């Protein structure tokens, strides 16, 4: 397993905890630091993990609107916490991150793997469907330009 995949797993665990406790407004960076110490000893991807967390936080409102548009039959609060945060990571990497660092297909594949590892039986298919829809829209937008 690559260190980036493990890094994404730690970010997902941190986002899950943060989202679960959001009513108490915990600091996501403190949660991430705790999880890096607990699950990421020996992984040299701290900057990458912080960029993911910062990017998801910065674009969270936009990302959540994209989720609602791309999965209209699933209100955001009815999507499982795992799937919701896998989508946030995947959409951030797909739309807002450096494409040289994380190509679109890598972002999609990594999100699907996170969903399969941490989500329910249909999580992988759900994540694939939503991110696939967004990816096709990206291609349509490129063709228009």
């Amino acid at each position: 397993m690559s260190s980036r995949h493990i890094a994404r797993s730690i970010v997902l665990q941190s986002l899950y905890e943060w989202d679960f406790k959001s009513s108490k407004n915990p600091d996501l960076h403190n949660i991430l630091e705790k999880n890096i110490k607990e699950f990421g000893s020996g992984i040299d991807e701290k900057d990458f993990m912080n960029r993911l967390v910062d990017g998801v936080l910065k674009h969270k409102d936009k990302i959540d609107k994209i989720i609602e548009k791309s999965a209209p039959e699933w209100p955001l609060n009815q999507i499982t916490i795992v799937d919701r945060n896998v989508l946030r990571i995947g959409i951030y990497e797909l739309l807002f991150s450096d494409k040289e660092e994380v190509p679109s297909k890598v972002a999609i594949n990594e999100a699907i793997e996170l969903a399969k590892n941490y989500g329910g039986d249909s999580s992988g298919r759900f994540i694939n469907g939503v991110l696939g829809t967004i990816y096709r829209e990206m291609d349509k937008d490129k063709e228009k330009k």
Side-chain angles (χ1 to χ4, degrees):
M1 193 177 311
S2 79
S3 61
R4 285 276 170 108
H5 183 75
I6 295 168
R8 286 182 183 91
S9 296
I10 293 169
V11 169
L12 175 60
Q13 291 168 336
S14 301
L15 285 168
Y16 181 98
E17 184 177 340
W18 171 78
D19 197 358
F20 185 77
K21 295 179 178 179
S22 65
S23 62
K24 297 177 180 126
N25 198 18
D27 181 9
L28 181 52
H29 284 80
N30 288 339
I31 294 169
L32 179 63
E33 285 299 318
K34 174 185 64 84
N35 287 335
I36 289 171
K37 287 176 187 168
E38 187 170 342
F39 304 112
S41 63
I43 296 176
D44 190 26
E45 295 290 350
K46 189 173 179 179
D47 289 343
F48 175 72
M49 289 185 268
N50 278 305
R51 278 195 308 279
L52 270 180
V53 163
D54 290 340
V56 168
L57 285 177
K58 178 180 179 184
H59 298 285
K60 181 182 167 295
D61 292 338
K62 291 178 195 169
I63 291 169
D64 286 353
K65 285 178 185 168
I66 292 167
I67 294 169
E68 290 169 346
K69 181 182 175 194
S70 301
E73 58 283 347
W74 286 97
L76 195 62
N77 65 348
Q78 289 183 9
I79 297 172
T80 67
I81 296 174
V82 170
D83 290 355
R84 183 169 54 236
N85 286 294
V86 168
L87 283 171
R88 286 173 175 156
I89 293 168
I91 293 169
Y92 167 72
E93 288 194 298
L94 192 58
L95 299 178
F96 301 106
S97 72
D98 179 1
K99 297 296 169 252
E100 301 258 334
E101 183 177 31
V102 181
S104 296
K105 291 187 179 189
V106 171
I108 293 169
N109 288 336
E110 284 291 324
I112 293 167
E113 287 304 312
L114 286 173
K116 286 179 180 178
N117 290 334
Y118 297 100
D121 291 339
S122 61
S123 292
R125 289 188 307 277
F126 176 66
I127 299 301
N128 187 33
V130 174
L131 294 181
T133 298
I134 294 167
Y135 184 73
R136 285 187 294 280
E137 287 297 316
M138 289 169 52
D139 278 350
K140 286 180 189 176
D141 289 346
K142 286 179 189 175
E143 290 174 8
K144 289 179 185 176
K145 291 180 183 176

